[in-house]
Amino acid sequence: MALVVQKYGGTSLGNIEKIKVVANRVRETHQKGNGVIVVVSAMAGETDRLLSLAKDITAQPDEREQDVLASTGEQVSCALLTMALKSLSIKSISYVAHQVKIRTDNAFGKARILDVDSKRITRDLRDRKVVVIAGFQGIDDKGNITTLGRGGSDTSAVAIATAAKADICEIYTDVEGVFTTDPNICPEARKLNRISYDEMLEMASLGAKVLQTRSVEFAKKYQIPIHVRSTFSDRTGTIVTREDKDMESVIVSGVTYNKDEAKITVTKIPDRPGIASKLFTPISNANIIVDMIIQNVSADGFTDLTFTVPKADYKKALELVQITAKEINAKEVLADPSIAKVSIVGAGMRSHSGVASAMFTALANEGINIMMISTSEIKISCVIESKYTELAVRVLHNTFCLGENNDLKN
Ligand code: ADP
Ligand code: ASP
Ligand code: MG
């Protein structure tokens, strides 16, 4: 029999009825003789509600206390699901992070899991108990509660699957798997039967929030297969796994968008060695992740520099950049939070030319201006005005024929 980790997202646990549906699903797997570890998110909307309470107190809540607050959502769903299982006469036990020692670094709000002690879990599994664990949270080496960033329960699930040596990590959500693009904004989106870790990694990091990026990094590193599927149907979903030959023959597998970044431009920077380091060191010291960076060609000894940061860190980044800009005698700092990044992802791009120009032409035909471009081996991203996001996604999905049944993976 297998050891299965099942992670249920917030929408799957949105109310008591849904929690009972989940309990029945867990029971089914358990009654087949499998060992079952369940990782839960907070009930739908709860994390947003908690974070907005903090914002009602102060615009910049203390990061440690914010994690103490945000982590409570998962404790509630963890207890409720375990009660539901017990009322179905399934032996089960709930745990929050410190009880199973989900150890993280101390980056509040975006902590990284270092390790999980599986001893207690293994003992419970041996007693045929279903172990229900609160996702999204950990503890640092001083015993502080930390959280793993939005969508972090996916990463909790994969890390726990790794530590417990599970056979599979199932991610249950409100859609039937990983689609060619967000099915909620593009009705033609098609479910993928399989996707490689690398493509999924790009899709997740470029905005396909169906899996948190770090969960895919973890799964790739430890070769844990992930099955993304719906809580509300029995159909097979998408298997995230190692790349095989068939996958390479697909040029573009998906289109993603991300509205959670903001753009900062520093103009007329004196162009001399050390300037970029001066600008970005304070930002990196503040644990802010910079995504795209563009530096213009120098003219008359001056240059402009544009970069993007997560919207959540944008005000902090702006303050830091304004200080440095003064020190280095730059002309001004411009900020634009109304941007979106649209991207196309595909393993086959490595060996095909013309993909970028097809993308740029498709956007140009709709009158969509491209503000920034970045590429890697298997993706191309463009920053555009956020009001065009949905249009751009649909146009690109259509341009690369993703709605049609031309996918060798299926
Ligand atoms: P959960 O609460 O289960 O963690 P999330 O809201 O985090 O669910 O993730 C599921 C959502 O991800 C879907 O409802 C869908 O709108 C969105 N999504 C974005 N891109 C994709 C994609 N390529 N495939 C599937 N879902 C996607
Ligand atoms: N509850 C957290 C969030 O809303 C973590 C998760 O759902 O994965 O981001
Ligand atoms: Mg999620």
Side-chain angles (χ1 to χ4, degrees):
M1 284 298 139
L3 174 56
V4 183
V5 171
Q6 299 190 331
K7 177 258 168 177
Y8 290 91
T11 40
S12 307
L13 300 160
N15 56 41
I16 296 301
E17 279 321 303
K18 288 184 177 170
I19 290 177
K20 289 182 178 169
V21 170
V22 167
N24 276 304
R25 267 208 103 113
V26 172
R27 174 169 69 168
E28 247 174 63
T29 312
H30 188 251
Q31 282 185 339
K32 283 182 190 148
N34 300 302
V36 187
I37 303 170
V38 184
V39 176
V40 290
S41 288
M43 294 167 78
E46 183 60 9
T47 309
D48 286 337
R49 189 186 74 84
L50 293 166
L51 293 175
S52 81
L53 287 177
K55 282 273 182 310
D56 288 346
I57 300 270
T58 161
Q60 295 226 0
D62 180 271
E63 289 175 333
R64 179 189 184 278
E65 305 315 324
Q66 185 160 272
D67 277 6
V68 174
L69 176 72
S71 64
T72 60
E74 273 70 13
Q75 182 164 345
V76 171
S77 47
C78 180
L80 290 174
L81 178 62
T82 311
M83 286 174 196
L85 286 167
K86 286 185 174 172
S87 71
L88 293 175
S89 305
I90 302 291
K91 282 207 286 182
S92 50
I93 183 158
S94 67
Y95 289 124
V96 291
H98 74 88
Q99 295 173 300
V100 280
K101 301 191 179 61
I102 301 177
R103 224 166 48 82
T104 70
D105 62 18
N106 62 1
F108 294 116
K110 48 189 153 195
R112 279 183 176 273
I113 295 183
L114 303 173
D115 51 58
V116 179
D117 181 357
S118 61
K119 273 195 223 82
R120 204 163 176 176
I121 303 174
T122 311
R123 210 171 45 228
D124 291 328
L125 289 170
R126 236 184 271 130
D127 294 342
R128 287 294 294 145
K129 281 185 190 155
V130 172
V131 180
V132 185
I133 303 175
F136 183 52
Q137 52 178 264
I139 43 160
D140 70 7
D141 58 4
K142 294 202 176 86
N144 295 307
I145 297 173
T146 55
T147 65
L148 312 178
R150 299 310 303 265
S153 300
D154 299 330
T155 306
S156 310
V158 179
I160 290 164
T162 306
K165 300 196 171 54
D167 297 289
I168 184 121
C169 181
E170 297 181 329
I171 303 285
Y172 285 89
T173 185
D174 59 345
V175 290
E176 297 224 331
V178 180
F179 283 67
T180 46
T181 193
D182 187 346
N184 287 321
I185 70 161
C186 182
E188 287 83 37
R190 194 167 39 82
K191 192 193 84 190
L192 300 167
N193 287 341
R194 284 183 303 142
I195 185 167
S196 70
Y197 290 121
D198 285 332
E199 285 172 304
M200 192 63 238
L201 209 48
E202 289 284 10
M203 283 190 61
S205 69
L206 295 167
K209 68 169 183 162
V210 63
L211 284 177
Q212 198 197 34
T213 310
R214 281 185 195 159
S215 70
V216 190
E217 282 170 2
F218 234 102
K220 182 184 172 194
K221 187 165 172 195
Y222 297 101
Q223 298 287 307
I224 299 278
I226 300 181
H227 184 181
V228 181
R229 58 190 307 188
S230 167
T231 306
F232 309 106
S233 102
D234 282 328
R235 270 191 285 270
T236 308
T238 303
I239 304 286
V240 187
T241 180
R242 245 177 300 191
E243 186 170 324
D244 62 35
K245 275 251 159 338
D246 283 354
M247 293 178 179
E248 278 235 23
S249 54
V250 181
I251 303 174
V252 175
S253 335
V255 178
T256 62
Y257 65 95
N258 180 357
K259 293 186 184 178
D260 292 333
E261 287 187 14
K263 180 163 73 83
I264 297 178
T265 303
V266 190
T267 66
K268 248 185 145 198
I269 305 168
D271 195 10
R272 53 169 193 264
I275 288 295
S277 148
K278 273 218 170 70
L279 269 170
F280 290 112
T281 304
I283 296 177
S284 120
N285 288 346
N287 256 324
I288 298 172
I289 294 163
V290 175
D291 179 20
M292 292 161 104
I293 304 178
I294 290 182
Q295 184 178 334
N296 285 356
V297 181
S298 173
D300 306 325
F302 293 96
T303 186
D304 294 344
L305 204 141
T306 302
F307 61 94
T308 61
V309 291
K311 247 184 210 157
D313 295 325
Y314 152 68
K315 289 216 170 100
K316 202 163 160 191
L318 195 55
E319 278 169 22
L320 294 168
V321 170
Q322 273 159 342
I323 296 169
T324 321
K326 254 197 202 126
E327 285 169 15
I328 60 176
N329 284 322
K331 187 171 172 217
E332 59 185 339
V333 181
L334 308 169
D336 182 1
S338 313
I339 58 155
K341 183 169 68 174
V342 289
S343 313
I344 54 174
V345 176
M349 267 190 229
R350 285 195 198 106
S351 47
H352 287 80
S353 58
V355 183
S357 67
M359 179 180 192
F360 305 152
T361 307
L363 295 176
N365 287 344
E366 297 298 326
I368 300 173
N369 186 38
I370 300 171
M371 299 190 252
M372 297 171 91
I373 298 169
S374 83
T375 61
S376 80
E377 254 197 327
I378 63 166
K379 72 114 202 276
I380 305 169
S381 300
C382 296
V383 170
I384 60 169
E385 265 186 84
S386 72
K387 65 180 180 191
Y388 295 122
T389 313
E390 283 77 10
L391 173 64
V393 167
R394 281 191 217 112
V395 164
L396 293 173
H397 195 264
N398 198 22
T399 299
F400 294 102
C401 307
L402 294 176
E404 292 162 22
N405 203 14
N406 62 350
D407 184 348
L408 294 176
K409 282 176 248 183
N410 289 288

